[in-house]
């Protein structure tokens, strides 16, 4: 399990500007969260890492950005209008509401009171399209991004000049009127998904299902999640969604126990067939080589952005004692770290500031940087450690003489001193994975105490 409890992460997120309660000054909005300056960077980085792995690094996957509001028939065809419901119970004494399938006993967990019989509650948010608020104008905020992909399958297939297998990837907001939210950003009512629908020829689906199970598990590991905190759990038959032929969850060992980060499902041909039936459009494909016509099967890796952010925060959190002081450090992968490099002049001395701002201007633009000259250098190091900044560049009085600066590594606390002219290229190489102790010409290792 991650070594940190949820309260510690929630408090760090608020204190350092990662995540705030939505509409906090009005007392909040149930199950909604706002990402602050650092959280917005971290979240973007998670989405970009996913997009890179799923779209940019592959020839067989393309991207899509579909609208959130769709024709309401989409949700009839997909089964959401009839089946996207959870069992809701009310406490007859204190009036609290719960998801019946999340309760361990048949009594109110808050006051022990008697519960009503469960009734099914549809999780889709409804709104109206246009000025008239009647039944004909009802539309839904999408509860998953997947359907935007299915209804565009033909558009993408015919315009991208691709053959099967073909994946269509999408990142975006989804909305679910969850009965109970909780565990910080784990279960909220507005969240983001990273979904990919991989369309394959029937008969090849088992092969591709295995492929995506491996790919998706390894994605989290490559970005720094410890293997022992991750597992792939097969769904039992009774757990399978109405459309799924098979499904695994990628689970993370959150402080509240093993919980779902991502679902990977073999959806068979369910979605395309449903949309063919309801729209009257033929969504089958013709395979030139074999002269066969068939409706593709779909393998779907569907991940939560917010849950991934939470897992990366929990897993990277580390506390240690350095020179008799507690050091909190987020060991985030450089690709995910909100700030890649902080430039820290030793002090606000008027001789140092021009050089420090020049050093900053030489590296900004290549990656996300921060210039910080407030408080003592020790405190500034600790602040950068706590938000996961991989490298701090220190400009000191000697820099005025030798035109060199010191780089400090967040994890090992090693320091190297290198010529300013080589700084940008050196930092780029290290952020891309170069060993910290590899030196550019003219560089040297700094020996001495930890900081
Ligand atoms: N298209 C399939 C689908 O939406 P899902 O298992 O319902 O499958 C996929 O959702 C992922 O979306 C989950 O693994 C989770 O990471 C994220 N997710 C679902 N509901 C969520 C919620 N209420 N809050 C935050 N993330 C959620």
């Amino acid at each position: 399990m991650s070594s940190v409890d949820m309260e510690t992460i929630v408090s760090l997120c608020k204190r350092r500007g990662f995540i705030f309660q939505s509409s906090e000054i009005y007392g909040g909005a149930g199950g909604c969260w706002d990402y602050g300056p650092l959280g917005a960077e971290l979240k973007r980085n998670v989405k970009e890492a996913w997009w890179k792995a799923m779209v940019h690094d592959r020839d067989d996957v393309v991207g899509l950005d579909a609208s959130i509001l769709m024709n309401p028939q989409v949700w009839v065809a997909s089964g959401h209008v009839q089946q996207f419901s959870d069992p809701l119970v009310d406490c007859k004494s204190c009036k609290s509401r719960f998801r019946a399938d999340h309760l361990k006993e048949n009594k109110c967990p808050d006051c022990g009171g008697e519960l009503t019989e469960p009734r099914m509650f549809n999780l889709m948010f409804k709104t109206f399209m246009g000025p008239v608020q009647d039944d004909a104008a009802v539309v839904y905020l999408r509860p998953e991004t997947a359907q935007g992909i299915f209804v565009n399958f033909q558009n993408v297939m015919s315009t991208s000049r691709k053959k099967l297998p073909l994946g269509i990837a999408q990142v975006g907001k989804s909305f679910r009127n969850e009965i109970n939210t909780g565990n910080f950003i784990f279960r909220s009512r507005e969240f983001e998904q990273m979904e990919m629908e991989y369309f394959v020829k029937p008969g090849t689906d088992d092969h591709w299902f295995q492929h995506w199970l491996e790919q998706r598990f390894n994605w989290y590991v490559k970005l720094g999640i410890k293997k022992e905190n991750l597992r792939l759990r097969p769904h039992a038959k009774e757990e399978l969604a109405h459309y799924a032929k098979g499904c695994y969850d990628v689970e993370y060992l959150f402080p509240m126990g093993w919980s779902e980060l991502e679902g990977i499902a073999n959806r068979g041909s369910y979605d395309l067939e449903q949309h063919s039936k309801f729209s009257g459009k033929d969504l089958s494909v013709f395979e030139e080589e074999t002269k066969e016509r068939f409706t593709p099967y779909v393998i779907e890796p569907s991940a939560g952005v917010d849950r991934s952010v939470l897992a990366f925060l929990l897993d990277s959190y580390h506390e240690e004692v350095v020179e008799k002081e507690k050091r909190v450090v987020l060991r985030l992968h450089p690709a995910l770290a909100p700030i890649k490099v902080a430039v820290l002049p030793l002090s606000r001395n008027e001789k140092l500031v021009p050089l420090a701002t020049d050093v900053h201007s030489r590296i900004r633009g290549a990656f996300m940087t921060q210039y910080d000259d407030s408080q003592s250098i020790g405190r500034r190091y600790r602040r950068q450690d706590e938000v996961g900044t991989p490298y701090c560049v220190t400009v000191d009085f000697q820099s005025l003489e030798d035109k060199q600066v010191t780089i400090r590594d967040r994890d090992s606390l090693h320091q190297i001193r290198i010529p300013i002219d080589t700084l940008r290229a050196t930092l780029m190489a290290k952020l891309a994975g170069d060993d910290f102790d590899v030196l550019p010409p003219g560089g040297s290792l700094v020996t001495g105490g930890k900081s």
Side-chain angles (χ1 to χ4, degrees), residues 17 138 187 222:
V138 166
R187 191 180 305 284
K222 273 187 211 149

Side-chain angles (χ1 to χ4, degrees), residues 144 176 178 186 188 193 195 260-261 300 302 304 307:
E144 61 172 20
R176 295 183 189 177
E178 298 281 358
F186 181 83
S188 49
Q193 290 184 309
E195 297 199 292
E260 177 185 343
L261 262 182
E300 175 196 67
S302 170
R307 287 188 191 179

Side-chain angles (χ1 to χ4, degrees), residues 196-200 204-210 212-213 264-268 297-301:
M196 197 271 294
E197 308 301 325
Y198 197 73
F199 299 90
V200 304
T204 64
D205 49 314
D206 287 341
H207 161 78
W208 287 113
F209 190 44
Q210 285 307 318
W212 285 109
L213 290 179
I264 302 163
N266 181 344
R267 299 177 70 121
Y297 274 23
V298 173
I299 310 299
E300 175 196 67

